[in-house]
Amino acid sequence: MGLVKKGNKLWFFEDLYRDVTYGFEVSRVVVPETDTGFQKLMILESDRFGRVLVLDGIVQLTEEDEGIYHEWIAHWPLFALPKPAEHVLIIGGGDGGVAREVLRHKYIKKVTMAEIDKVVVDLCREHMPSISAGIFDDPRFDLIIGDGAEVIRAMKGKCDAVMIDSTDPIGPAKSLFNTSFYESVKDALKEDGITIHQTGALILQPFEAPGSWRQIERTFDDVRVVQFANVSYHGGPFSLTAGSKGKRVFRDADRNAKKNYKKAGIKTSWYSPEITAYPYPEFQKRLELDKYGEEIVMDIELPGRKRPTLNQVKKWSRDTCKAIKMLAYGEPIVSNPELGEGDTLVQYIETSAINYRRFGDKACANIFTCASLPVAEATDFSLDYFGAGSAVCWHLPRGSFAELKDVRKNTAIYKAALKTTEAHGIDIVSQKYRPKLVESAVVFAPDFRLPMERSLSSAFELIMDIYDCDYSRISNCDTVARWASVEFPKASGLAALGEPDAPDFGHAKKKTAGPSVIQLLERGSNISHFSMNWLMIVVNIVSREAYPVRKVIENAMRYFRGKTAVCWIVPRGLKTHNIADIADNTLIFSVEQK
Ligand code: AG3
């Protein structure tokens, strides 16, 4: 909306969200909207807020309350450091507010500010001089007009703190919100250094802080969320996400802050070490415990010569939803109404999908939720439903953003059986095994044999969690459908059956926002879910036919521009009962993009 006439008054309404906004009365347009070559800049004046800097329709600061943001982003990391900072790098921050606060620390020898947009610096200096408050005359201050993502590469190991005072991850700041940028920030830090980044309004921009949190968590040694609220950033709680190089930094941050603050004698209006103890602990805890999804994969031993019919399997899928307390989305999708040997049935559920196929006397089911999963209930229900004595189970954490060895540790392979004593409940009747950890080179070697090529099973499943994917590719139903129906069949040599089904029902939910896609295959199925929030995709491909696994993994990573993948190879439609042997043939490995 921007500037709007209301009667004989001029108002400004922020243009950040499609569906909510805030506004204020404007007493004077100080700098009318100017195209800087990077963004549109405007400086307004209001009786309530003083002068206001607006970039691309979004309020960046007001003279009245800028102190809140600038004090928190500058002092929180500086006081938390174990020893006084000497060199600070600011990325963005062209108005000078962050540099002003940093330069109040008397041990600081040098502040480098990399701002891409010279017009922001010049116009703020001219029209809002109180923000930069003379920093340009400070001999310790050094301004570089250039792209922060590039400037930072020349600063390896030089900085005690890197403060990223950017606009939102739309427009020119987009490149400051991805893992490769965070990697170069870590490289620029000295040991025990801290970075901090503005990561948006927690409620109104629900993907931003968690998204940066995930990336910083993976790149740095520790991560914290710092929260404050001001008036100009609409929507209540606002976040800064911080990363440390060194494991102890944040653990000691609270103690350091109190000590350093007292010693420094800097008077602050908004920052206080008394409220840094646990910055936003509940939000942090939620992120730590949160995982994207969880899956139980079962090869269920069907009794006698039982061959569940289509209707029976449909009912299984409906009732499974009830057992795991998930709503079904749409009707089940089947590859063949006969539902014969190896044919697939898939039922979307509100966060992902469950699916079924049968090989001989094994009913092979996958129950996957992008939420927590009541595993015992799911297993209990399926065994009971099919009247099965036992099942071989693979319990997998999905999208956990963890190290490969931790993902392996959290993957369990075991045999489950219905309790014989009571009507309900299951027992784990074998030892719990873990998948075999291998190098991707083992799986990619020309002499590698898939489980069914070694007569261990009728089919196999390739499961992939691919991280750090490209937002534009994974957020679009057409591009994911194209991958499943064109790219994947080309890479695998497997024949697609019918059209891909790529709904975006997950978009309604914050955590699972993103499309899903089912591509049935002549001899299997490819089911995947795409997370706009976590920039991650989860893929399950069941196939009776061998294909070049390397080509498929590399093709998917290339197409979605993923950086790392955790993959499992699981034998399906088991022909052996030896659980140790099954575990030994369930492989886990990671793949890095070259
Ligand atoms: N930079 C952060 C502005 C964030 C506005 N975004 C929002 N309200 N979601 C401000 C620059 C001040 N130096």
Side-chain angles (χ1 to χ4, degrees), residues 352-367:
S352 48
I354 62 178
N355 55 81
Y356 166 100
R357 76 280 304 147
R358 180 186 53 76
F359 298 108
D361 58 358
K362 300 292 183 309
C364 299
N366 291 44
I367 301 176

Side-chain angles (χ1 to χ4, degrees), residues 555-572:
N555 168 270
M557 290 181 79
R558 203 176 322 116
Y559 186 83
F560 294 111
R561 307 196 183 113
K563 298 226 167 59
T564 54
V566 169
C567 306
W568 294 259
I569 285 186
V570 180
R572 301 302 308 271

Side-chain angles (χ1 to χ4, degrees), residues 477-492 494-502 516-521 525-528 530 539 541 555-556 559-560:
C477 289
D478 293 336
T479 55
V480 305
R482 192 193 136 77
W483 168 70
S485 60
V486 181
E487 297 289 326
F488 164 74
K490 224 194 298 170
S492 62
L494 300 179
L497 187 69
E499 293 298 310
D501 185 68
S516 293
V517 57
I518 296 175
Q519 175 65 61
L520 297 170
L521 308 169
S525 61
N526 177 353
I527 304 167
S528 31
F530 298 77
V539 182
I541 304 162
N555 168 270
Y559 186 83
F560 294 111

Side-chain angles (χ1 to χ4, degrees), residues 12 56 67 80 118 129 131 133 141 146 156 165 207 240 242 278 300 339 395 416 434 447 451 469 478 520 533 567 579:
F12 170 81
D56 286 337
K118 184 168 186 299
I131 308 299
F141 181 72
K156 281 203 178 12
D165 178 22
F207 307 147
L240 304 170
Y278 297 101
I300 302 166
L339 208 65
H395 180 194
R434 288 176 183 152
D447 62 348
C469 296
D478 293 336
L520 297 170
N533 188 352
C567 306
I579 188 97

Side-chain angles (χ1 to χ4, degrees), residues 101 133 221 286 337 365 382 394 452 470 477 574 588:
E101 290 302 315
D221 295 314
R286 211 167 69 216
S382 291
W394 293 263
M452 77 265 195
D470 192 85
C477 289
L574 292 170
I588 186 165

Side-chain angles (χ1 to χ4, degrees), residues 173-478:
K174 223 174 147 187
S175 64
L176 306 181
F177 286 82
N178 60 44
T179 312
S180 54
F181 170 67
Y182 287 129
E183 274 160 6
S184 44
V185 172
K186 191 179 179 195
D187 286 344
L189 285 177
K190 292 183 196 160
E191 211 45 47
D192 288 342
I194 296 180
T195 188
I196 190 159
H197 194 175
Q198 81 80 6
T199 46
L202 287 167
I203 308 282
L204 294 180
Q205 295 168 301
F207 307 147
E208 256 187 48
S212 288
W213 200 92
R214 293 282 175 210
Q215 298 188 56
I216 291 174
E217 182 197 30
R218 299 193 59 223
T219 321
F220 289 78
D221 295 314
D222 204 356
V223 56
R224 284 291 185 278
V225 181
V226 179
Q227 179 215 357
F228 65 87
N230 66 4
V231 186
S232 359
Y233 304 156
H234 182 44
F238 198 82
S239 68
L240 304 170
T241 306
S244 71
K245 185 169 179 170
K247 289 198 168 55
R248 289 192 56 85
V249 184
F250 290 147
R251 259 190 285 162
D252 301 339
D254 183 29
R255 203 166 2 108
N256 289 340
K258 286 188 180 143
K259 200 173 67 206
N260 294 338
Y261 184 72
K262 208 159 155 195
K263 210 157 93 197
I266 294 174
K267 291 241 173 327
T268 52
S269 303
W270 302 98
Y271 167 84
S272 161
E274 300 301 325
I275 36 178
T276 59
Y278 297 101
Y280 214 13
E282 294 310 321
F283 181 80
Q284 168 112 13
K285 249 187 267 168
R286 211 167 69 216
L287 280 171
E288 276 165 6
L289 295 176
D290 206 14
K291 52 182 173 299
Y292 179 69
E294 193 171 352
E295 181 167 29
I296 182 81
V297 174
M298 293 179 279
D299 261 28
I300 302 166
E301 191 83 39
L302 292 168
R305 292 201 44 78
K306 207 166 167 186
R307 301 282 181 266
T309 62
L310 175 63
N311 278 336
Q312 286 166 337
V313 178
K314 276 189 177 165
K315 184 162 163 31
W316 166 82
S317 75
R318 264 198 317 273
D319 291 354
T320 294
C321 293
K322 282 188 213 139
I324 63 171
K325 299 192 173 62
M326 282 275 163
L327 297 175
Y329 174 85
E331 286 299 306
I333 295 174
V334 285
S335 63
N336 174 0
E338 308 276 310
L339 208 65
E341 173 85 10
D343 292 333
T344 307
L345 176 143
V346 192
Q347 170 68 60
Y348 289 119
I349 59 174
E350 55 187 311
T351 64
S352 48
I354 62 178
N355 55 81
Y356 166 100
R357 76 280 304 147
R358 180 186 53 76
F359 298 108
D361 58 358
K362 300 292 183 309
C364 299
N366 291 44
I367 301 176
F368 180 21
T369 72
C370 297
S372 70
L373 172 67
V375 175
E377 284 84 342
T379 314
D380 180 12
F381 170 74
S382 291
L383 287 180
D384 197 35
Y385 185 85
F386 292 115
S390 68
V392 171
C393 301
W394 293 263
H395 180 194
L396 312 168
R398 299 295 304 274
S400 56
F401 287 81
E403 299 278 333
L404 185 65
K405 59 180 196 321
D406 292 323
V407 181
R408 174 177 181 264
K409 210 163 72 200
N410 292 323
T411 302
I413 306 168
Y414 54 86
K415 190 180 258 183
L418 274 187
K419 276 193 172 129
T420 44
T421 46
E422 298 146 43
H424 281 285
I426 53 142
D427 281 325
I428 292 180
V429 294
S430 75
Q431 211 182 303
K432 272 198 186 176
Y433 291 85
R434 288 176 183 152
K436 184 165 153 186
L437 182 65
V438 295
E439 293 288 326
S440 58
V442 171
V443 180
F444 292 172
D447 62 348
F448 174 73
R449 293 278 158 271
L450 288 161
M452 77 265 195
E453 293 175 303
R454 281 184 280 147
S455 306
L456 203 79
S457 61
S458 302
F460 84 105
E461 181 158 356
L462 171 65
I463 302 179
M464 306 189 264
D465 289 357
I466 306 181
Y467 295 97
D468 296 324
C469 296
D470 192 85
Y471 181 88
S472 62
R473 282 280 159 110
I474 64 173
S475 57
N476 180 315
C477 289
D478 293 336

